[in-house]
Amino acid sequence: MSVTLYVCTTCRMGRADPAEGPRPGARLLAALQAAGAPDGVRIRPVECLSACDHGCNIALAGPGRWSYVYRGLDPDRDVPDILAGVAAYARTPDGLVPWRERPVIFRKQSLARIPPMESPE
C-alpha cells in the first residue's frame, strides 16, 4: 500500500515572494524529489495546504491511515529528517508512528492529525 507525501509549492516561509528563483515550497519539493522518495512513497506537489503563516508545509496520507500536516519546514536543512519520517510512516499499517521514533521536526512541527477516511457504506 503506497502513501503520498504532498508538498506545498506555494509556501513562502512567511517572506515576500523571492525576486528571483522559485518559492521555498517549490525548492522543498525539488530537494525531496532529488533525494528520492522512500519505498512505497509518492511525492506530489500541491498548490496550497492553507498553513501559510507557518513556513514550508507538507502532508502525509495513505489509504486507511491517519494523515498529518507538518509546518515550518526548511528546504535547506530538513530534507533528510522529512524523508526519515516519511519512511517510518510508510512502514506502518495505520500511519501511527510511535512518538519517540519520529524525527524531532515531526514531533514538534505537527499542525494537524486527521483520522482515516471511512469507507462508504
Side-chain angles (χ1 to χ4, degrees), residues 2 10-11 25-26 38 41 45-46 57 68 75 77 82 91 99 110-111 114 116:
S2 69
T10 57
C11 286
V41 176
V46 293
N57 304 289
Y68 293 86
R77 74 160 191 258
I82 292 169
R91 288 190 299 266
W99 192 80
S110 177
L111 182 62
I114 303 151

Side-chain angles (χ1 to χ4, degrees), residues 3-5 31-44 83 86-87 90:
V3 301
T4 304
L5 167 61
L32 289 164
Q33 290 173 326
D39 287 340
V41 176
R42 297 175 298 186
I43 300 174
R44 298 285 186 257
L83 293 175
V86 171

Side-chain angles (χ1 to χ4, degrees), residues 8-89:
C8 179
T9 59
T10 57
C11 286
R12 296 181 305 195
M13 294 180 69
R15 302 177 191 146
D17 271 335
E20 294 183 24
R23 287 184 173 183
R27 287 186 19 245
L28 179 60
L29 173 67
L32 289 164
Q33 290 173 326
D39 287 340
V41 176
R42 297 175 298 186
I43 300 174
R44 298 285 186 257
V46 293
E47 292 272 325
C48 184
L49 289 172
S50 291
C52 302
D53 293 340
H54 299 289
C56 289
N57 304 289
I58 62 169
L60 289 173
R65 297 168 188 258
W66 284 81
S67 297
Y68 293 86
V69 179
Y70 295 100
R71 64 184 176 156
L73 303 170
D74 187 318
D76 297 321
R77 74 160 191 258
D78 292 333
V79 169
D81 286 338
I82 292 169
L83 293 175
V86 171
Y89 177 84

